[in-house]
């Protein structure tokens, strides 16, 4: 059921959307930061250069951004393209005949040959290619201020474990800086949780928690207790303003020299670039020290089916624009992502090179939970993680017990 607040978002947006013509493309997304908007402008220009009109329908992810396209449609709006990852959303639309398939289109244009395996996997659901890939992002990257590290007399590149990183925080505090810039919003705590699961646990643990079929036994793995021990250590570092801090505001704390680092998705890079900062001079980047695995996001667009031939043609032109190699290069530079096409990797920066090297490591890169688990399951894990985060007296074992109950309630094991 929609709350009045969520329904108001969509009602307000639909009131400003003009009646669609054959070339109007209603674009539903939840991006709102300066880098995200700059990247969207690259796509908008590419779409409109092909003769179509970009009509935005946006609900920022930091303001009820969990609203799915299914809910948007139920509320009376009809986006033509939508930025969504969760596979069950695509399955629901496909079952209703409201989803365009892209396999033949991408095969004919040669796009499929240029997509890394992790991207092909992300855009394929039940054997059919139904998504347009936009980004490759590492969910677990550390971006740090080189000037703060120098002032504290430390070298983040030398860390081989989270313990190494933590051991340097005393020097950071002594130099007058915060060790970590954190945002304690629900989704940010949820992301940090799956980053820790991937970093500290084996693939069977990550897949058992975030897979399509849950495996309750993985919650008894010793690494899950370690996940919550570390989540508490992060929680104890937060400052009073962290509760409502947007992720990009936390990024700017590092950019402005207030904090040493941020552990977040590598979409942070777009904020550094937007601030005019230079990699290797102003900032450095690295994977989580000692990580066993790296969770990877492939942001993707879906195309609404069951539309007129004219609208379908415009939607497919949108898809072609998104995966165009030149557009991908420009978009990734603005967004802070790694291009999805192999032939667009010619002039990528060192941080993207680290991500690509991670993708080449056997069995190292794992899909983000949004590419494998149901939205309800992801929400259940986020609920437990946030309850634990906000209750300093809750022990890790109690969090595990709550996670078992939540997992069983949402998706019983098969």
């Amino acid at each position: 059921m929609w709350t009045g607040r969520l329904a108001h978002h969509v009602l307000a947006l639909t009131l400003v959307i003009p009646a669609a013509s054959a070339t109007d493309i209603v674009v539903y997304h939840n991006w709102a930061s300066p880098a995200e908007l700059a990247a969207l402008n690259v796509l908008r220009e590419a779409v409109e250069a092909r003769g179509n009109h970009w009509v935005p329908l946006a609900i920022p992810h930091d303001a009820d951004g969990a609203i799915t396209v299914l809910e948007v449609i139920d509320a009376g709006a009809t986006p033509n393209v939508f930025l969504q990852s969760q596979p069950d959303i695509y399955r629901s639309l496909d079952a209703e005949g409201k989803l365009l398939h892209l396999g033949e289109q991408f095969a004919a244009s040669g796009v499929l040959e240029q997509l890394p395996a992790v991207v092909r996997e992300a855009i394929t659901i039940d054997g059919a290619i139904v998504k347009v890939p936009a980004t490759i992002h590492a969910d677990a990257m550390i971006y740090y201020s080189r000037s703060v590290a120098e002032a504290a007399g430390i070298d983040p590149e030398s860390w081989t474990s989270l313990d190494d990183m933590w051991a340097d925080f005393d020097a950071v505090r002594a130099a007058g800086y915060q060790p970590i810039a954190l945002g304690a919003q629900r989704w940010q705590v949820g992301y940090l949780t799956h980053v820790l699961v991937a970093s500290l646990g084996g693939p069977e643990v990550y897949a058992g928690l975030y897979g399509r079929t849950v495996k309750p036994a993985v919650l008894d793995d010793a690494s899950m207790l370690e996940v919550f021990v570390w989540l508490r250590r992060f929680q104890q570092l937060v400052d009073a303003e962290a509760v409502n801090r947007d992720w990009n505001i936390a990024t700017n704390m590092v950019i402005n020299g207030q904090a040493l680092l941020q552990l977040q998705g590598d979409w942070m890079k777009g904020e550094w670039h937007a601030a005019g900062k230079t990699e290797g001079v102003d900032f450095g980047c690295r994977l989580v020290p000692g990580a066993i695995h790296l969770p990877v996001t492939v942001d993707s667009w879906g195309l609404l089916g069951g539309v007129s031939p004219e609208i379908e043609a415009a939607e497919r032109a949108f898809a072609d624009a998104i995966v165009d190699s030149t557009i991908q290069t420009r978009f990734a530079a603005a967004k802070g992502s790694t291009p999805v096409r192999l032939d667009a990797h010619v002039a990528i920066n060192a941080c993207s090179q680290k991500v690509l090297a991670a993708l080449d490591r056997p069995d190292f890169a794992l899909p983000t939970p949004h590419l494998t688990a149901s939205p309800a399951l992801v929400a259940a894990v986020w609920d437990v993680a946030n309850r634990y985060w906000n209750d300093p007296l809750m022990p890790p074992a109690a969090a595990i017990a709550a996670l078992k109950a939540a997992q069983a309630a949402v998706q019983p094991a098969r």
Side-chain angles (χ1 to χ4, degrees), residues 96-110:
E96 297 176 8
K98 294 180 178 179
L99 186 67
L100 293 187
H101 286 215
L102 295 153
E104 292 184 5
Q105 179 177 347
F106 284 174
S109 65

Side-chain angles (χ1 to χ4, degrees), residues 14 37 47 92 114 212 268 306 320-321 332 355 357 367 394:
T14 55
L37 295 178
V47 167
S92 295
Q114 296 297 333
R212 187 178 180 189
M268 296 178 288
D320 287 337
V355 174
M394 187 177 186

